[in-house]
Amino acid sequence: MLVQKHKNSNIIHQGIIPYDHKIAPFLIRNVLFQHIPKATQHIYVVGIGSNQINGDSLGPFVGTLLQHKFPRHLTVLGNLQSPLDSSNLVSEFTKICLPQNSFVIAIDSVLGSKNIVQSIVIKDGPILPGEGLGKQLPAIGDCSIMGVVLEKDFQDQSTLFHTNLHLIYTMTTNIAKGISLAVRQFFQYPPNYPIFL
């Protein structure tokens, strides 16, 4: 997906969070809390991307950190062991029968405008996987979390292979912590319930 927005003083309040902000997980939790309907009984996290391309590994990496975390309230689809990428996303996701009152958070790496590169963007509504690379895949999610890993360069798509792993790791851990905090609070787990295994 290609994301383009302009910087301003309210950037965090608009769901655009610097990837290494010192309280990024709490900011992510706060934004997610605004999007999750009160009647939600189960949350699905769909980690979209490849385990073979640095810049495209964000979704599966988040999935790996969150799998088995809140088994009664959170289901993860797509992780580093079993990624959901352009080759299998449609076939695998359509196998899932989502129960009523479920909420789907889609996570993917994206290319964006220069002023929001290295940001985490959270928005209401689905993500269009592969849009920034010209791929046509179905929209997924009730809410989207996008890691803007690189500036969109129509001339060179190979830069995804060489994305800084520190950037991906930091984005991944902050997103996973933010989702975990949101799930813990939404479903009223004890405040000392660990957000990571």
Side-chain angles (χ1 to χ4, degrees):
M1 180 172 198
L2 178 61
V3 178
Q4 293 181 332
K5 289 199 179 186
H6 297 290
K7 268 188 180 175
N8 64 42
S9 59
N10 296 321
I11 196 162
I12 290 173
H13 301 296
Q14 295 179 355
I16 303 174
I17 301 164
Y19 84 102
D20 58 353
H21 195 286
K22 62 183 178 181
I23 59 167
F26 297 98
L27 298 172
I28 292 166
R29 177 204 60 190
N30 293 348
V31 176
L32 283 176
F33 232 75
Q34 297 171 16
H35 294 295
I36 303 172
K38 290 183 178 178
T40 298
Q41 294 177 3
H42 199 84
I43 293 175
Y44 287 80
V45 167
V46 182
I48 302 165
S50 170
N51 61 1
Q52 299 181 20
I53 301 171
N54 288 1
D56 197 33
S57 64
L58 179 73
F61 201 167
V62 171
T64 293
L65 292 180
L66 290 177
Q67 64 186 355
H68 314 304
K69 187 68 206 105
F70 299 92
R72 290 190 301 125
H73 296 107
L74 180 69
T75 298
V76 173
L77 308 170
N79 55 53
L80 290 173
Q81 184 176 5
S82 303
L84 292 176
D85 58 23
S86 59
S87 69
N88 67 354
L89 179 61
V90 175
S91 62
E92 292 299 316
F93 191 70
T94 53
K95 290 178 185 176
I96 308 299
C97 181
L98 297 175
Q100 192 174 9
N101 295 327
S102 59
F103 184 76
V104 179
I105 302 171
I107 303 167
D108 199 4
S109 305
V110 299
L111 309 176
S113 55
K114 184 176 182 179
N115 58 333
I116 61 164
V117 169
Q118 299 189 351
S119 296
I120 296 165
V121 178
I122 306 171
K123 74 175 187 73
D124 194 25
I127 197 167
L128 293 171
E131 183 186 37
L133 298 175
K135 296 179 180 178
Q136 293 186 339
L137 295 168
I140 292 179
D142 299 306
C143 174
S144 307
I145 301 180
M146 298 162 283
V148 187
V149 295
L150 292 168
E151 184 177 357
K152 177 63 176 172
D153 183 352
F154 289 97
Q155 305 301 316
D156 184 10
Q157 297 179 1
S158 68
T159 52
L160 277 174
F161 286 95
H162 309 291
T163 306
N164 183 322
L165 278 175
H166 174 72
L167 168 68
I168 298 299
Y169 175 78
T170 305
M171 273 189 179
T172 295
T173 53
N174 281 335
I175 291 170
K177 286 177 183 176
I179 293 172
S180 191
L181 287 167
V183 171
R184 185 174 75 177
Q185 183 174 341
F186 187 85
F187 292 108
Q188 299 181 349
Y189 282 77
N192 63 346
Y193 188 90
I195 58 172
F196 274 165
L197 291 176

